[in-house]
């Protein structure tokens, strides 16, 4: 479900208020001048007690070919997420979420290979809820590696809800499920009653793949056999 394009100036504070009731903005395209509000009838969520990781992905996470950090290049991650034929990320989305990042309410996970940004994701943190916005990859498995690291950081920081907005086949393969709008609102309300800390694992400190997998397994990671 989406609203008509907004007719007022959207601020970072209004954006946070919208997230607190389960609503988020999108643009029709990168060139669009207007944003519209979205609240899906079926909401995608990633249970934080169940992450499905294939053996090949676990191997990629453990490998030393990736270096994974947080909040080093938030805007670079946003720009990379928008580099596709069809995107809902326009200049105003970049501006607004950059303001949230500067205020400590948005975060990124970045995956580097040989010093180059090859994958990552970003989202919004509000109390014990994390709202995943978008992810990208330039090499195989890089976005999935970022998600495993996000899972580990969120569990370390005491988060209770990981919102993926929509349920895709890709996310479902990693354990995401679809729930009703009403069920999501209930989970969101519960998460907003708790405190969490994205920086419980210091954002300036890289998390190794071994550490990420150990944390994920501690809190409910399932290693699946390859298809």
């Amino acid at each position: 479900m989406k609203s008509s394009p907004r007719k007022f100036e959207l601020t970072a504070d209004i954006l946070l208020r919208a997230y607190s009731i389960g609503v988020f903005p999108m643009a029709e395209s990168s060139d669009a001048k207007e944003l519209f509000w979205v609240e899906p009838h079926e909401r995608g969520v990633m249970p934080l007690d169940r992450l499905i990781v294939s053996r090949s992905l676990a191997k990629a996470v453990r490998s030393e070919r990736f270096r994974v950090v947080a909040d080093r290049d938030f805007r670079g991650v946003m720009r990379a997420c928008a580099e596709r034929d069809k995107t809902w990320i326009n200049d105003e989305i970049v501006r607004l979420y950059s303001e949230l990042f500067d205020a400590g309410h948005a975060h990124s996970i970045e995956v580097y290979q040989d010093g180059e940004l090859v994958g990552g994701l970003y989202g919004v943190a509000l109390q014990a809820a994390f709202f995943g916005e978008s992810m990208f990859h330039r090499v195989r498995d890089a976005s999935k590696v970022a998600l495993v690291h996000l899972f580990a950081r969120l569990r370390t920081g005491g988060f209770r809800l990981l919102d993926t907005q929509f349920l895709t086949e890709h996310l479902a393969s990693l354990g995401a499920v679809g729930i009703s709008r009403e069920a999501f609102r209930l989970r969101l309300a519960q998460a907003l009653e708790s405190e969490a800390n994205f920086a419980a694992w210091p954002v300036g400190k890289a998390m190794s793949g071994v550490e990420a997998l150990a944390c994920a397994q501690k809190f409910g990671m399932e290693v699946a056999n390859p298809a």
Side-chain angles (χ1 to χ4, degrees):
M1 175 181 176
K2 70 180 183 180
S3 70
S4 299
R6 64 173 185 81
K7 300 298 182 181
F8 56 89
E9 182 178 359
L10 184 56
T11 66
D13 183 62
I14 292 174
L15 188 53
L16 283 180
R17 291 173 183 268
Y19 273 100
S20 73
I21 59 172
V23 181
F24 55 89
M26 298 181 74
E28 290 287 359
S29 68
S30 60
D31 297 325
K33 303 301 181 183
E34 300 286 349
L35 303 180
F36 55 85
W37 294 114
V38 181
E39 187 181 18
H41 287 288
E42 180 184 62
R43 194 80 174 222
V45 296
M46 178 71 71
L48 286 171
D49 59 356
R50 180 174 177 265
L51 176 67
I52 300 174
V53 177
S54 68
R55 293 186 183 277
S56 61
L57 177 55
K59 182 178 179 180
V61 174
R62 282 193 298 268
S63 73
E64 296 184 359
R65 63 191 178 102
F66 293 128
R67 176 175 172 80
V68 185
V69 297
D71 292 354
R72 298 276 185 88
D73 189 7
F74 180 85
R75 291 165 179 81
V77 170
M78 283 204 74
R79 288 192 295 268
C81 287
E83 291 174 356
R84 58 190 70 177
D85 292 337
K86 188 174 183 179
T87 180
W88 50 268
I89 302 172
N90 66 358
D91 289 342
E92 187 167 14
I93 290 285
V94 173
R95 177 185 68 80
L96 285 165
Y97 286 83
S98 294
E99 288 183 12
L100 288 183
F101 172 74
D102 292 339
H105 291 296
H107 301 281
S108 60
I109 301 291
E110 298 130 41
V111 180
Y112 292 88
Q113 185 176 43
D114 299 327
E116 297 292 327
L117 182 64
V118 297
L121 57 83
Y122 75 95
V124 175
L126 189 60
Q127 298 298 97
F130 190 90
F131 306 86
E133 283 295 312
S134 188
M135 61 174 60
F136 81 98
H137 69 276
R138 292 170 176 157
V139 300
R140 182 177 179 179
D141 289 332
S143 62
K144 293 181 181 180
V145 168
L147 184 60
V148 173
H149 277 258
L150 175 67
F151 182 93
R153 285 182 178 271
L154 295 184
R155 288 312 309 255
T156 300
F159 283 81
R160 299 182 60 185
L161 175 66
L162 173 51
D163 170 38
T164 68
Q165 298 181 344
F166 303 102
L167 180 64
T168 66
E169 183 177 345
H170 168 68
L171 291 171
S173 71
L174 295 165
V177 297
I179 61 175
S180 69
R181 177 186 297 170
E182 292 71 23
F184 177 79
R185 287 174 177 171
L186 178 60
R187 293 195 190 188
L188 175 58
Q190 293 170 339
L192 294 180
E193 292 176 351
S194 301
E195 295 286 341
N197 181 13
F198 188 85
W201 184 284
V203 294
K205 179 184 177 183
M207 179 184 288
S208 72
V210 171
E211 290 167 327
L213 286 174
C215 180
Q217 287 179 314
K218 176 181 177 182
F219 290 111
M221 184 188 83
E222 173 188 340
V223 177
N225 290 321

